[in-house]
Amino acid sequence: MRFEYTGRHIDVTPAIKAHVEEHFDRIKHLFGKEDNHAHITIEVEREQHRSEIVVKWRNQVLTATTTLTDMYQSLSQTIQKIEKQALKLKNKI
């Protein structure tokens, strides 16, 4: 899976990248061996950390957003939402 990162009012550190890629490694079995693209946007505004992930998979676009006070928890919850959407779509197919 290819990852693209965008940081608004925050630098995307290697630790954040590692955190995201580690979580996606756990759910990569859902996406198969296809070439998928994930765009991760993180943003900080007034001590709120917002993460948004858009995954292009097959002919579908999976999108999830979470806003919390901790960036790592926000990213984790957003990835969990993507996982739920992927499971639902995979079961439908």
Side-chain angles (χ1 to χ4, degrees):
M1 180 171 285
R2 295 177 299 150
F3 296 100
E4 183 179 329
Y5 297 91
T6 302
R8 295 185 183 137
H9 309 292
I10 189 171
D11 292 329
V12 181
T13 63
I16 290 175
K17 290 180 181 181
H19 181 78
V20 169
E21 292 171 14
E22 176 186 327
H23 278 285
F24 267 101
D25 281 345
R26 294 180 191 162
I27 62 170
K28 68 181 176 185
H29 65 277
L30 293 175
F31 298 107
K33 296 181 180 181
E34 302 161 5
D35 186 30
N36 303 312
H37 182 263
H39 184 97
I40 296 94
T41 305
I42 58 175
E43 180 178 0
V44 176
E45 187 175 315
R46 296 185 184 164
E47 298 182 16
Q48 292 293 316
H49 298 267
R50 181 176 176 270
S51 63
E52 177 182 22
I53 298 177
V54 178
V55 176
K56 293 182 181 177
W57 178 47
R58 296 184 178 170
N59 293 330
Q60 304 292 325
V61 177
L62 309 177
T63 306
T65 305
T66 306
T67 303
L68 292 172
T69 56
D70 181 32
M71 178 56 70
Y72 292 98
Q73 288 180 349
S74 176
L75 285 167
S76 297
Q77 285 188 6
T78 307
I79 294 169
Q80 287 175 353
K81 290 179 182 180
I82 291 289
E83 179 182 10
K84 286 181 185 178
Q85 291 178 23
L87 275 172
K88 185 176 179 180
L89 185 63
K90 192 169 185 174
N91 289 337
K92 194 182 281 188
I93 293 173

